[in-house]
């Protein structure tokens, strides 16, 4: 899936080898445009918008999978069609739902609980307490990502994630988007949600250090109440690291996110890169069409006035 300025496109490969596209124009509203211009608040808005949009593309991918596995005359697929379908839905849903709920709520509460139970009796300094909490959160994150990456379905999903990054990097280097050209590039990329996750942990360590608490439950509630602020600051920091990635020394600010992508991306095969190229090229075409329409509308308004 690729999102441009005006459109989002998802490509999936059907069982017969054909590539199907799902195209969705971005809906704009004065309210949303206004909120996306407000620093720190726009991070929360972006997360909500991405979750809502991602659900539509996930539904499309699931429907295509169901169509490919709905033939009862296929002796190889028919006996396990329902099982395979539910494994696919469960695998993708785990990444989507757990990444949001577990990653944003439980992933905040559980480390706070463990840090309090394990270390509060020995450590009184707020900075060290927050740092220990961040270490626990990082270990849980890495363990979670490693565990799900061992399943064939999620590994394949991470391969497509790597293919997306390769295509974007090849485009940014001015390469013709062929499978051979794209495969030369890394699966790691600065502008990635994985970078946002690790930045939110680092920001949380800093923000939580300024707030005291009384007991484990007070600590958990404090963390949850501060979660919007942590996400908002993390989003702004992500924008900053993207802006200065070409500046010597400052480029290292984005390295923690790149290291995490070694878990969330895998090397794709040529067929997966081909699917990613189709989605990206179509997204660029839709963006160009929409831009031309805006220019024509503006020109008509000028002439009519």
């Amino acid at each position: 899936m690729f999102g441009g300025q005006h459109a989002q496109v998802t490509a999936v490969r059907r069982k017969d080898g054909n590539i199907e596209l799902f195209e969705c124009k971005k809906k704009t509203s004065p309210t949303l445009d206004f909120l996306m211009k407000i620093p720190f608040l726009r991070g929360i808005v972006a997360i909500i918008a991405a979750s809502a949009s991602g659900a539509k593309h996930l539904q499309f991918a699931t429907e295509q999978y169901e169509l490919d596995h709905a033939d009862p005359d296929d002796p190889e697929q028919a006996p396990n069609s329902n099982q395979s379908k539910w494994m696919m839905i469960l695998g993708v849903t785990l990444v989507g739902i757990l990444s949001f709920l577990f990653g944003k709520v439980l992933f905040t509460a559980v480390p706070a609980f463990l840090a309090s139970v394990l270390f509060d009796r020995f450590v009184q300094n707020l900075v060290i307490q927050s740092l220990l909490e961040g270490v626990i959160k990082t270990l849980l994150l890495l363990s979670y990502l490693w565990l799900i990456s061992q399943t064939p379905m999620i590994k394949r999903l991470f391969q497509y994630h790597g293919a997306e990054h390769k295509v974007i990097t090849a485009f940014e280097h001015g390469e013709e988007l062929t499978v051979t050209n794209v495969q030369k590039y890394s699966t790691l990329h600065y502008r990635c949600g994985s970078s946002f996750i690790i930045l939110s942990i680092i920001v949380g360590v800093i923000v939580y250090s300024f707030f005291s608490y009384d007991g484990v439950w007070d600590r958990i509630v404090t963390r949850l109440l501060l979660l919007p602020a942590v996400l908002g600051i993390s989003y702004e920091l992500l924008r900053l690291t993207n802006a200065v990635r070409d500046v010597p020394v400052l480029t290292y600010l984005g390295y923690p996110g790149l290291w995490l992508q070694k878990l969330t991306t895998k090397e794709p095969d040529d067929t997966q890169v081909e699917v990613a190229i189709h989605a990206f090229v179509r997204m660029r075409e839709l963006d160009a069409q929409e831009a031309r329409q805006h220019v024509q509308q503006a020109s008509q308004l000028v002439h009519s006035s």
Side-chain angles (χ1 to χ4, degrees):
M1 173 184 146
F2 286 97
Q5 186 176 359
H6 304 290
Q8 295 174 323
V9 177
T10 289
V12 298
R13 187 182 295 278
R14 298 290 298 275
K15 190 166 63 172
D16 60 7
N18 291 325
I19 297 176
E20 298 283 347
L21 297 175
F22 175 66
E23 303 168 1
C24 182
K25 288 187 177 181
K26 286 187 176 180
K27 296 181 179 179
T28 59
S29 68
T31 302
L32 185 61
D33 291 340
F34 173 74
L35 292 176
M36 286 300 295
K37 294 177 181 178
I38 303 176
F40 304 107
L41 179 60
R42 59 189 170 192
I44 308 298
V45 176
I47 291 173
I48 296 174
S51 300
S53 175
K56 298 178 184 178
H57 294 264
L58 175 61
Q59 181 180 0
F60 165 75
T62 303
E63 288 172 351
Q64 299 305 306
Y65 185 88
E66 291 176 348
L67 290 173
D68 277 344
H69 294 78
D71 184 7
D73 297 324
D74 188 335
E76 241 181 277
Q77 299 292 339
N80 299 313
S81 60
N82 287 334
Q83 181 182 1
S84 298
K85 179 185 73 173
W86 283 109
M87 285 180 64
M88 169 68 174
I89 294 174
L90 178 61
V92 178
T93 302
L94 279 175
V95 174
I97 295 179
L98 292 183
S99 293
F100 184 77
L101 294 180
F102 179 77
K104 299 298 185 291
V105 179
L106 293 180
F107 192 64
T108 297
V110 172
F113 175 80
L114 292 177
S116 288
V117 172
L118 296 175
F119 300 112
D120 275 6
R121 73 186 76 174
F122 308 111
V123 180
Q124 303 300 320
N125 185 281
L126 287 177
V127 175
I128 298 178
Q129 289 176 342
S130 182
L131 185 61
L132 289 171
E133 184 180 334
V135 171
I136 293 174
K137 188 177 294 186
T138 301
L139 291 176
L140 288 176
L141 172 66
L142 297 179
S143 300
Y144 165 68
L145 291 175
W146 179 85
L147 183 63
I148 65 173
S149 69
Q150 301 309 300
T151 63
M153 193 60 64
I154 303 304
K155 180 180 178 180
R156 186 166 178 80
L157 185 66
F158 286 172
Q159 286 178 303
Y160 274 110
H161 189 193
E164 291 172 346
H165 287 182
K166 281 174 173 274
V167 170
I168 294 173
T169 306
F171 172 77
E172 290 174 341
H173 282 79
E175 293 270 17
E176 180 185 358
L177 295 182
T178 65
V179 172
T180 302
N181 287 342
V182 169
Q183 284 285 37
K184 295 186 300 185
Y185 291 94
S186 171
T187 61
L188 310 182
H189 196 277
Y190 264 78
R191 293 193 306 275
C192 176
S194 301
S195 300
F196 178 80
I197 294 173
I198 199 68
L199 282 175
S200 67
I201 295 178
I202 297 172
V203 171
V205 169
I206 298 172
V207 172
Y208 298 153
S209 299
F210 291 95
F211 294 86
S212 60
Y213 54 88
D214 297 316
V216 58
W217 298 113
D218 185 37
R219 182 177 192 168
I220 293 174
V221 171
T222 300
R223 280 9 180 195
L224 293 177
L225 290 176
L226 289 171
L227 184 57
V230 170
L231 296 178
I233 296 172
S234 301
Y235 183 80
E236 299 302 323
L237 185 57
L238 180 63
R239 288 169 58 93
L240 174 63
T241 58
N242 289 334
V244 301
R245 60 177 175 164
D246 294 325
V247 179
V249 179
L250 295 181
T251 188
Y252 294 107
L253 291 173
Y255 274 35
L258 294 176
W259 294 333
L260 184 62
Q261 288 176 45
K262 291 182 178 294
L263 282 177
T264 62
T265 64
K266 302 293 183 184
E267 281 292 335
D269 60 33
D270 288 351
T271 62
Q272 293 167 326
V273 169
E274 184 183 10
V275 172
I277 291 174
H278 271 73
F280 185 80
V281 169
R282 183 54 181 162
M283 180 272 292
R284 293 280 300 171
E285 291 174 351
L286 293 175
D287 264 8
Q289 291 175 11
E290 194 71 19
R292 285 195 296 269
Q293 290 178 4
H294 288 174
V295 171
Q296 291 173 357
Q297 291 172 357
S299 178
Q300 290 173 358
L301 287 175
V302 170
H303 288 307
S304 61
S305 61

